[in-house]
Amino acid sequence: MGKSVLKVQRSEAGEIKKLLNTNDAYTVGVRLYLVYLVALGHSSRKLSELHNISFKQITNWVHRFEKEGIEGLKDKKGRGRRSALSDEQLARIKVLVLKEAPRDHGFQTERWTGPLLAQWIKKEYGLEYQKAQIYNLLEKVGIAFEKKAGLINKV
């Protein structure tokens, strides 16, 4: 009989990753460590495979570190892809989720879910969103998802 595999019972891997991503010090530390490994001569392509981070992202961190030092490794507002939805469309989505029922829009359910909202956005605006993107979009407009309550206003 082999050794038992260590398992984490408290949280799922996705929840743990979300915690890591919300800790700025940890995020900067990981990026700095990867820059350090590149400085030691490790291949950024090999590091990409080992750490499951895109080669391009590692390259960007090295260049930002070269240009701005450790400040370049911190997340700054304005970096990243711009939303395909306008501010007005985002406001409409918030009102939709908080004040309107899915039944009002032809769906056969009482509560909005991420996948359901993705369908509505595709129908209304012609934009396709993955499940994870929907929850990021909702967080951006001040709505959180709680298992028992569904989508709720964070403010």
Side-chain angles (χ1 to χ4, degrees), residues 2-19:
K3 293 182 180 180
S4 64
V5 176
L6 182 63
K7 295 192 186 241
V8 175
Q9 303 289 325
R10 182 183 181 110
S11 300
E12 293 180 22
E15 293 169 338
I16 295 169
K17 186 174 183 179
K18 195 181 287 186
L19 288 171

Side-chain angles (χ1 to χ4, degrees), residues 19-47:
L19 288 171
L20 292 173
N21 290 337
T22 59
N23 185 325
D24 291 340
Y26 175 81
T27 302
V28 171
V30 167
R31 293 171 184 176
L32 186 59
Y33 181 67
L34 287 164
V35 170
Y36 169 70
L37 292 174
V38 170
L40 289 176
H42 292 275
S43 159
S44 53
R45 290 200 186 273
K46 190 68 174 167
L47 291 171

Side-chain angles (χ1 to χ4, degrees), residues 18-116:
K18 195 181 287 186
L19 288 171
L20 292 173
N21 290 337
T22 59
N23 185 325
D24 291 340
Y26 175 81
T27 302
V28 171
V30 167
R31 293 171 184 176
L32 186 59
Y33 181 67
L34 287 164
V35 170
Y36 169 70
L37 292 174
V38 170
L40 289 176
H42 292 275
S43 159
S44 53
R45 290 200 186 273
K46 190 68 174 167
L47 291 171
S48 167
E49 293 171 20
L50 288 172
H51 296 281
N52 197 26
I53 297 172
S54 78
F55 156 77
K56 182 65 177 157
Q57 187 61 66
I58 294 171
T59 302
N60 287 343
W61 291 332
V62 170
H63 290 303
R64 284 175 25 198
F65 180 77
E66 288 288 301
K67 186 176 178 183
E68 305 171 42
I70 202 159
E71 285 298 313
L73 300 178
K74 294 178 181 177
D75 285 331
K76 294 182 179 124
K77 193 158 178 65
R79 285 197 173 144
R81 182 179 292 170
R82 301 276 183 259
S83 176
L85 294 166
S86 70
D87 290 341
E88 293 80 20
Q89 291 169 325
L90 290 171
R92 169 70 180 112
I93 290 168
K94 184 172 184 173
V95 169
L96 173 83
V97 169
L98 295 175
K99 305 212 180 213
E100 299 175 31
R103 288 192 187 276
D104 300 339
H105 299 277
F107 297 105
Q108 300 302 313
T109 183
E110 291 297 322
R111 281 193 174 150
W112 287 103
T113 63
L116 198 62

